[in-house]
Amino acid sequence: MKLRFNECSAFEQKEIEFDDGINFYITSNKCIQNDIYRFLKRNREKVCVINSELDVNDISNRVYFVNYNEKGMLLRNRKFKSVIDTNSEIVKLLDIQSNVFELKFKQLWHWSYLCSCALGISKGKKILIFPWISSTECSVQSYRINKLFEYAQQNELIVVIPTDSIETLKSNTVYNMKYNIYE
């Protein structure tokens, strides 16, 4: 599966195509997740999915914005276990530790990205868009990103991670996996 954006301001009006797996997009735009969110709401006809059964009109229903808090999507004071089956396959495949389930969303810290991804995947989402995160944070998240990569490769999942630099990624285990990098 591939996801193509045409004339999206978040990607500087360039046509860009994301593949299955983890896709790093190098940018200084820290509001890119919100820009993509607004673009999908207004310009569905400029987005297409290639090699998939997904209908272009269904794209917005298949996209999940990781850690995005619009209309209480992530209720910060609810415990993670109250919104996901703690024995689900996705929780096991992503290796989410059992002590995480007792935490509220606002307490998840470094686990918040992976837990939010698990929540999106459990809702049937096939395209995960991360908020902008620094390459240093990507390095901190390398174990979790690698777990997500393994799952994405096996399950036709597209993950877009906007970050600031490829240099930090190159010096870390994140870069050793086969990721797609766009500048």
Side-chain angles (χ1 to χ4, degrees):
M1 178 169 69
K2 293 179 183 268
L3 176 67
R4 182 183 298 148
F5 286 89
N6 291 312
E7 301 174 20
C8 179
S9 62
F11 305 114
E12 301 165 8
Q13 304 299 338
K14 296 183 282 191
E15 181 178 291
I16 190 161
E17 202 170 272
F18 296 112
D19 293 315
D20 284 347
I22 305 289
N23 298 273
F24 288 104
Y25 182 74
I26 309 302
T27 182
S28 59
N29 179 0
K30 294 183 179 180
C31 299
I32 191 167
Q33 186 187 46
N34 197 38
D35 292 348
I36 295 169
Y37 177 81
R38 280 185 272 136
F39 183 81
L40 284 172
K41 287 271 190 206
R42 297 183 193 133
N43 302 292
R44 194 175 308 146
E45 73 283 353
K46 293 184 179 182
V47 180
C48 67
V49 178
I50 305 164
N51 300 333
S52 175
E53 322 75 57
L54 289 182
D55 181 344
V56 70
N57 296 317
D58 192 37
I59 289 175
S60 58
N61 295 328
R62 303 298 274 195
V63 174
Y64 184 78
F65 292 91
V66 177
N67 282 10
Y68 197 70
N69 194 20
E70 193 228 4
K71 297 180 184 170
M73 189 180 289
L74 289 180
L75 301 173
R76 297 281 182 213
N77 288 315
R78 291 179 67 189
K79 288 187 177 178
F80 182 55
K81 71 177 182 180
S82 70
V83 293
I84 195 166
D85 177 6
T86 58
N87 295 314
S88 68
E89 179 184 352
I90 186 62
V91 167
K92 291 175 183 152
L93 290 172
L94 294 179
D95 196 26
I96 299 175
Q97 298 173 359
S98 59
N99 62 329
V100 170
F101 299 118
E102 294 302 321
L103 299 174
K104 296 178 181 178
F105 275 107
K106 66 182 178 182
Q107 299 168 320
L108 290 175
W109 293 82
H110 292 302
W111 283 100
S112 67
Y113 296 115
L114 198 58
C115 291
S116 183
C117 288
L119 188 56
I121 293 166
S122 72
K123 292 180 177 186
K125 307 299 182 175
K126 296 300 261 178
I127 302 162
L128 305 178
I129 311 284
F130 272 66
W132 181 93
I133 57 178
S134 72
S135 54
T136 305
E137 181 65 15
C138 285
S139 295
V140 169
Q141 294 287 342
S142 64
Y143 173 78
R144 295 170 192 91
I145 290 172
N146 288 334
K147 282 295 186 185
L148 185 57
F149 173 79
E150 292 168 10
Y151 183 84
Q153 286 295 97
Q154 297 168 3
N155 294 281
E156 287 192 336
L157 189 69
I158 295 175
V159 181
V160 178
I161 303 176
T163 188
D164 59 346
S165 168
I166 194 169
E167 298 310 314
T168 308
L169 297 175
K170 284 182 178 178
S171 65
N172 193 277
T173 57
V174 170
Y175 191 74
N176 295 330
M177 302 295 276
K178 186 188 175 295
Y179 296 123
N180 304 306
I181 299 175
Y182 303 88
E183 295 184 69

